[in-house]
Amino acid sequence: MNSWGEPIHCSRRGASHWRRQQPCQDASASGHGLSLDGLPVWVMAVADGHGGSRYRLSDRGSRLACERALALVLAAVSQRRLGSPDDNGSRMQWAAWLSRDLPAAITSAWLEAIAADWHANEPKAAEPAGAATPACEAATPAGSSPTAGSRAAAGQPFQPLLYGSTLGLVLMTPHWWGQTGLGDWDLVRIDGDGQASLLSEERQEIAAGEATCSLCQREAASLFAGRSGLWPIGAQAAPFALLLSTDGLRKSCASDPDFLLLARWLAGMPDPTEAPRGAELAASLDRISREGSGDDVSVAIGRLEPARHRLAPERAAASADSGAPTLPTPSAGSNRSTDSTVSSETPAATKPASSAETAESKGWTDPSIFGADAPGTAGPARQETAASQPQPRTPGPSPARKPRALAVIGLTLVLAGVGVGTTALLLPWPRPDAPKLATATAQQALQQKAQQLCSAPETISRQLNRRRALIDQWRQQWHQQRPKPGWLQAQARRDPLAAWIAISLDPALPAARRRQNLEWLGACPALIEALPAAPSLPAAPSAQQTNKKRPFRALDGS
Amino acid sequence: MPFPNVRLANRPLHFLYLCDCSGSMAAQGKMQALNQAIRQSLPGMAAVARDNPEARVLVRAVSFADRALWHVATPTPVDQLQWQDLQAGGITAMGEALELVAAQLSTPPMEERALPPVLVLISDGQPTDDFQAGLTTLMRCPWAQKAVRLAIAMGHDADLEVLQQFIGNEPQATPLPAGEIPGASGQAPRSAPSGRSPRRPLQASNATSLAQYIQWASTAVVNAASMPASRTVQAAAGSNIPLPDLPPTVLDPSDDVGPLVW
């Protein structure tokens, strides 16, 4: 079953808002729940309150939009079954719900919420009969200028216009994911090979220039349909990430390719451990606003983990067993008592503890997944390693954010011919308290080379052909002599493509496993297909078969 | 992983003057007043640009007489602009000027992320070429549709209907939010405009009021356009940029700012 990591989200006040002493009018949120049939569901949302004094309460409008949308989604999914992965009828019902029923519920709940907020927080305002104007366009034009805005603050009747906001929402389930909303948010998908594509944007024909669709419009519910979609996920889907952002992010980039590159980096693709989080994410968004549009910036990022990596599967199992929805337990390390969080701003400078908590507690990377099932490890070896779990040789900071680097370590260990027992003694398999080993350079070199080749696939075969002799040599050599520990890392620094070749030739693993490793390390399909990883390679005798020549053990004389 | 090598950029704000340089502009010191007004407005515009670093204010100018020509062809940062005096002489190729601008309002050369441009048309007379063809060409450009289009009529001989067409039709159904200047629909107004409104041609009757309008366009308008707040589709109908009010002395006909000389 596919499994989503916990989304991260962050909203930052834009540089121009700081300068003009305006609040952050963006908001973002994420939450987790269970469907009626016990499947885990994640939801994330961003909202952008309109600027200007006509919309002087839009910071609250955007926050309420995220809050209510999440509450509605999680309540609804707890009452429904997701069905089986191949249940097309169910998916069509969910698609209709995303584009029609949910929008109606969201707009209605939002109007109720802002009315309640108005009555709770604007006690001095005059309240003429029938003042609950249901839509933006019915509002009086007062307040279009700064001076008029100050006039409007005193004695202004309640109007949804004051709270005007966009809303973008993504719902993620094991079988499908879908998006809905209205306004000028953007949704980007970033695949495991780093390819990013803009999946959804507000069409220019609907809202040109700086104008956008809004929850405060009379026909708001009907405007969701154009931004709604539902996307099935295959049973063994490759990892990918979704980045939902308010317009401040895209408008800060010189071009769409820059925006997609930035989205890839923010989403941590292909390596999620390299994604900025917490204070780093907040600081990055600040920089983006400062050097870009100056607007508020919000992002919410979800990631589909590899199918074999399940986060807290016991939750779903427990719920499925009981046949009734259950409340999810708070994430480890989190002191939240609820299953959703909403932030209007994640202050880095003013509230560093809060920001760190926000992002660190939302990280999608569960360090245990690498300890349980890391790429590059054969089954038996993995089990033995996990069972022995030696203490780290050197204490260090938490490496939980470096599973990709640790994966390289794992591959290195395998390739270096260190037997299971030796592996356990020399280099501990990744776990939360494991030390960070010096593989960053090698890892970076590998990934840079992969990016370079994948951006120009026509060059791959030419570059491989130049190493044909090397490939042939290794194919022969590795049945008699194995590289020494550290050889792969050194090779990666010296000739990253040679290191990719070595990984693809790893005789300890079956072809499918080698391919998985290549994918996991960031090779695009073009590179994988070109590498000499074909099943026709001379098969090395496996440890289980011979129990004489364990892969790589002989090579360092052990 | 370090911050990626992406191009973050503030958003360019293109400010274009379209200046009538026909022979009639030589009379009564209009040409001199226009040159003076633009030159004097530049420090204020530069100050606004400095206060809004998220916008990159770039100025260009077109002059039109017998032919339309780029007077400032390169988008020039306002703080680097050295205004060279325009010279009057010839007829009024206003339509050609619009076509000249239209050629620059497609993407590229316009940047994808540009702010809605500001176009200021200044004229004291009537076009002598095919104005409608020029306007049609201009309004085919999405950037022209998004643009803030202002028109200043110098004196009472200016063709207000033509200038109104350039600005666009004033919405009739909803009252005008104070101080907001519409983007135009490109359609001709259904009736002749009356009264004063920032959504109609601004009538400069002397050098002082001309300078005020130019100053307002180059500072208040630029300031508003530099950081356009997102807004609803309805609020933006016919109005792309919410702008602060015109100076009271300009809006109030009883508060004259100088002798009527044009």
Side-chain angles (χ1 to χ4, degrees), chain A residues 145-414:
Chain A
S145 68
T147 51
S150 57
R151 290 196 303 271
Q156 189 179 31
F158 169 65
Q159 302 164 351
L161 173 78
L162 295 165
Y163 290 83
S165 175
T166 68
L167 174 67
L169 182 148
V170 173
L171 176 60
M172 296 160 281
T173 81
H175 304 332
W176 51 263
W177 66 271
Q179 90 278 4
T180 191
L182 81 174
D184 53 4
W185 47 272
D186 298 297
L187 178 61
V188 176
R189 174 180 169 138
I190 309 103
D191 288 322
D193 60 2
Q195 292 291 325
S197 53
L198 182 61
L199 289 186
S200 183
E201 62 178 329
E202 188 168 50
R203 286 162 46 205
Q204 283 287 312
E205 310 90 86
I206 293 176
E210 306 301 316
T212 183
C213 294
S214 171
L215 283 170
C216 68
Q217 288 177 246
R218 191 186 304 275
E219 70 277 22
S222 66
L223 297 170
F224 281 64
R227 304 297 308 275
S228 298
L230 188 142
W231 311 68
I233 305 172
Q236 296 292 321
F240 67 91
L242 298 170
L243 182 139
L244 183 64
S245 62
T246 53
D247 67 331
L249 187 69
R250 191 174 172 193
K251 287 178 177 171
S252 293
C253 299
S255 67
D256 277 349
D258 290 295
F259 170 61
L260 294 176
L261 189 60
L262 187 58
R264 187 174 77 173
W265 179 75
L266 288 169
M269 294 296 280
D271 183 355
T273 64
E274 298 291 356
R277 294 180 204 157
E280 187 187 359
L281 175 59
S284 299
L285 297 184
D286 287 346
R287 175 180 173 181
I288 290 165
S289 176
R290 189 173 57 249
E291 298 180 15
S293 67
D295 198 3
D296 297 334
V297 182
S298 291
V299 295
I301 305 165
R303 179 184 165 86
L304 183 75
E305 304 289 0
R308 61 187 182 280
H309 299 150
R310 293 184 175 83
L311 297 181
E314 67 280 5
R315 292 184 192 172
S319 174
D321 290 345
S322 66
T326 58
L327 285 175
T329 53
S331 302
S334 167
N335 57 5
R336 299 194 311 271
S337 58
T338 63
D339 58 349
S340 65
T341 61
V342 180
S343 66
S344 294
E345 184 178 16
T346 309
T350 53
K351 295 182 184 176
S354 171
S355 64
E357 175 195 14
T358 300
E360 291 298 341
S361 62
K362 295 180 196 315
W364 57 53
T365 304
D366 183 347
S368 64
I369 64 177
F370 275 89
D373 190 0
T377 54
R382 187 183 72 243
Q383 288 168 11
E384 286 186 48
T385 306
S388 53
Q389 280 295 356
Q391 292 300 313
R393 286 190 298 175
T394 54
S398 168
R401 298 170 60 183
K402 302 289 182 186
R404 182 61 58 84
L406 298 174
V408 174
I409 298 170
L411 278 171
T412 305
L413 296 180
V414 176

Side-chain angles (χ1 to χ4, degrees), chain A residues 439-508:
Chain A
T439 58
T441 307
Q443 177 195 10
Q444 193 174 8
L446 275 177
Q447 292 182 347
Q448 283 179 351
K449 188 63 182 176
Q451 288 173 7
Q452 177 198 344
L453 292 169
C454 295
S455 63
E458 68 279 4
T459 66
I460 294 176
S461 59
R462 189 173 67 243
Q463 295 199 36
L464 283 173
N465 282 335
R466 290 180 190 153
R467 293 163 179 83
R468 183 56 57 193
L470 190 65
I471 293 170
D472 294 339
Q473 176 191 339
W474 285 350
R475 277 177 162 159
Q476 298 299 322
Q477 182 180 345
W478 286 358
H479 287 293
Q480 295 142 22
Q481 186 182 18
R482 304 295 177 197
K484 293 182 178 177
W487 175 87
L488 180 62
Q489 292 182 45
Q491 191 67 45
R493 287 192 292 271
R494 198 164 46 240
D495 183 354
L497 180 54
W500 278 112
I501 293 169
I503 295 168
S504 78
L505 285 173
D506 179 0

Side-chain angles (χ1 to χ4, degrees), chain B residues 73-147:
Chain B
T74 304
T76 306
V78 60
D79 56 352
Q80 298 173 18
L81 183 63
Q82 300 290 322
W83 185 256
Q84 303 296 318
D85 279 354
L86 296 160
Q87 304 296 326
I91 52 177
T92 312
M94 190 184 291
E96 188 181 344
L98 300 184
E99 291 182 357
L100 204 60
V101 170
Q104 295 299 312
L105 289 185
S106 54
T107 303
M110 284 287 285
E111 304 85 346
E112 291 176 16
R113 300 285 186 274
L115 290 159
V118 179
L119 311 181
V120 183
L121 175 60
I122 306 162
S123 176
D124 74 332
Q126 300 181 351
T128 53
D129 63 351
D130 191 347
F131 170 80
Q132 291 300 338
L135 184 62
T136 301
T137 303
L138 178 70
M139 296 312 298
R140 284 199 196 107
C141 301
W143 280 112
Q145 296 165 21
K146 295 176 190 175

Side-chain angles (χ1 to χ4, degrees), chain A residues 15-16 19-20 50-52 54-55 137 141 144 204 210-212 214 216-217 219 250-256 258 261 265 274 287-288 291-294, chain B residues 1-11 51-54 112-113 116 146 175 177-178 180 223 227-236 242 244-245:
Chain A
S16 69
R19 199 173 50 254
R20 298 178 189 209
H50 307 319
R54 298 175 87 183
Y55 317 94
E137 62 271 28
S144 60
Q204 283 287 312
E210 306 301 316
T212 183
S214 171
C216 68
Q217 288 177 246
E219 70 277 22
R250 191 174 172 193
K251 287 178 177 171
S252 293
C253 299
S255 67
D256 277 349
D258 290 295
L261 189 60
W265 179 75
E274 298 291 356
R287 175 180 173 181
I288 290 165
E291 298 180 15
S293 67
Chain B
M1 188 180 288
F3 198 85
N5 184 24
V6 297
R7 292 174 301 152
L8 298 175
N10 53 10
R11 303 175 65 187
D51 291 343
N52 294 277
E54 293 80 22
E112 291 176 16
R113 300 285 186 274
K146 295 176 190 175
E180 289 201 0
N223 187 54
M227 186 55 198
S230 68
R231 50 215 304 257
T232 65
V233 174
Q234 277 85 357
D245 295 339

